[in-house]
Amino acid sequence: MQLSQFGGKLLRTPSVLNKRACTPSKVTMASALQPASKNRQFGGWNMRYKVKSTSLDNTETVFTVYFPPAAEKQKVPVIYYLSGLTCTDENFIGKAGEGQWLLLGEVGVALVAPDTSPRGLNVPGESDSWDFGVGAGFYLNATEPKWKAWRMYDWVVTELPELLAAQFSDKLDLSRSSIMGHSMGGHGAMTIALKNPTKFKSVSAFSPICNPTQVPWGIKAFTGYLGDKDKEAWKQYDSTELMKGYKGPHLPLLVDQGSADSFYSGAVNQLQPAALEEACKAAGYPATIRMQDGYDHSYYFISTFVDDHLNHHAKALGLN
């Protein structure tokens, strides 16, 4: 396998670095939030927490928050990062490269990374395949009774922000939030942003599943979580379908896709960025959708372009 990284150059020159600079869930978790780990990093703190989520059927879940140095003195804006299939909240935290922490620290932005599904429920079949069940929540609200705990949409959109606002009112400015993600998480970031445009200032995605109602990954997940009797209901979790009828404000949208991504260039195109691009053009929605030559689906790809994405959000958040 050939991996292309940083275009063959070990350079990082984003403008910010050069400057140095659904039904809402009611939650009362002030005493339930428990620290799981604490790590100092580039002058800030990576904090991992665990909590029982009402959205996830009172399952204990985890999430990580990176507090930049500025959060010790003032409230800072937030970027939510949603991970992909098989991942946890820690994948991006550990693999995206030091550049993200330098940039987040210098511009003063917190990063919040939730897990990708409920865990530990031992639902029959939850671990039978890597693309459904554990590690594969698809950021939707399941309607099939067996998967009633799989309500990642409510967790990310409502309960988690309410929890952050209640617990960190002196550190986080939730009125200035953006959202991004990778693969399944890119799908989640875009659908959540399009369904809740007033909650976010911008959205971006690496290798997102752009048209899940039309590809095997999405069809499998939606059939299992939502059932196959009302396939129109699937469209509320498909960014391409949402874009076709979109009437809301135009959040700045950045998408990067690698040309050597096996999920894009292989026998089955699970990602379908062209479908999203066509829908954006038809809707008159300005979007930057870039094909990156030679890059794959991995964190080598993400770490190469993560500064672009963080700068994209920093601009929308009024920081550059």
Side-chain angles (χ1 to χ4, degrees), residues 29-314:
M29 295 183 176
S31 62
L33 187 64
Q34 298 180 22
S37 64
K38 179 179 181 179
N39 298 98
R40 189 77 163 162
Q41 190 169 33
F42 292 105
W45 291 96
N46 258 316
M47 302 290 294
R48 198 179 195 216
Y49 300 96
K50 56 184 178 181
V51 68
K52 283 190 175 181
S53 164
T54 56
S55 299
L56 308 182
D57 200 29
N58 292 315
T59 303
E60 186 173 84
T61 190
V62 293
F63 63 93
T64 295
V65 184
Y66 175 71
F67 294 100
E72 297 181 7
K73 299 179 180 180
Q74 63 191 42
K75 295 172 70 169
V76 298
V78 172
I79 298 173
Y80 294 91
Y81 181 88
L82 307 183
S83 286
L85 290 164
T86 75
C87 293
T88 71
D89 59 302
E90 294 186 297
N91 286 76
F92 183 77
I93 301 300
K95 295 182 179 180
E98 73 171 37
Q100 66 162 336
W101 308 116
L102 289 169
L103 194 153
L104 288 169
E106 289 172 11
V107 300
V109 181
L111 188 136
V112 177
D115 202 354
T116 54
S117 79
R119 297 178 189 267
L121 290 172
N122 298 316
V123 176
E126 70 174 17
S127 300
D128 286 357
S129 57
W130 62 273
D131 55 357
F132 184 83
V134 172
F138 271 83
Y139 304 100
L140 50 71
N141 283 340
T143 55
E144 290 295 290
K146 179 179 178 180
W147 304 103
K148 63 179 181 177
W150 269 248
R151 297 181 65 84
M152 295 300 296
Y153 179 89
D154 274 357
W155 167 240
V156 172
V157 172
T158 302
E159 189 177 1
L160 179 56
E162 287 181 0
L163 175 61
L164 294 171
Q167 295 289 319
F168 307 113
S169 60
D170 60 331
K171 295 182 179 297
L172 303 180
D173 180 2
L174 277 300
S175 69
R176 291 190 294 162
S177 296
S178 293
I179 191 167
M180 62 188 292
H182 172 227
S183 194
M184 177 186 72
H187 139 77
M190 292 193 299
T191 56
I192 286 172
L194 290 172
K195 288 165 68 68
N196 303 274
T198 61
K199 286 181 176 286
F200 304 102
K201 302 298 185 184
S202 55
V203 57
S204 74
F206 296 97
S207 314
I209 307 172
C210 297
N211 202 182
T213 60
Q214 304 301 313
V215 300
W217 273 346
I219 292 169
K220 178 178 180 177
F222 292 175
T223 300
Y225 295 134
L226 305 174
D228 60 3
K229 293 181 180 179
D230 182 11
K231 293 185 178 180
E232 283 296 309
W234 293 8
K235 293 181 179 180
Q236 67 178 304
Y237 300 115
D238 184 315
S239 56
T240 296
E241 294 297 328
L242 288 170
M243 187 63 73
K244 290 177 180 179
Y246 186 74
K247 303 297 183 183
H250 292 168
L251 302 181
L253 170 61
L254 171 63
V255 174
D256 273 319
Q257 173 62 57
S259 67
D261 185 329
S262 61
F263 299 117
Y264 165 75
S265 60
V268 178
N269 180 356
Q270 298 272 20
L271 306 177
Q272 299 291 332
L276 176 65
E277 186 169 21
E278 182 179 345
C280 288
K281 289 179 179 177
Y285 191 109
T288 301
I289 300 176
R290 311 187 300 192
M291 186 63 62
Q292 303 293 0
D293 186 45
Y295 289 87
D296 59 14
H297 201 75
S298 71
Y299 274 86
Y300 294 103
F301 169 51
I302 293 173
S303 64
T304 302
F305 297 102
V306 68
D307 281 4
D308 286 354
H309 285 242
L310 295 180
N311 275 301
H312 167 79
H313 295 301

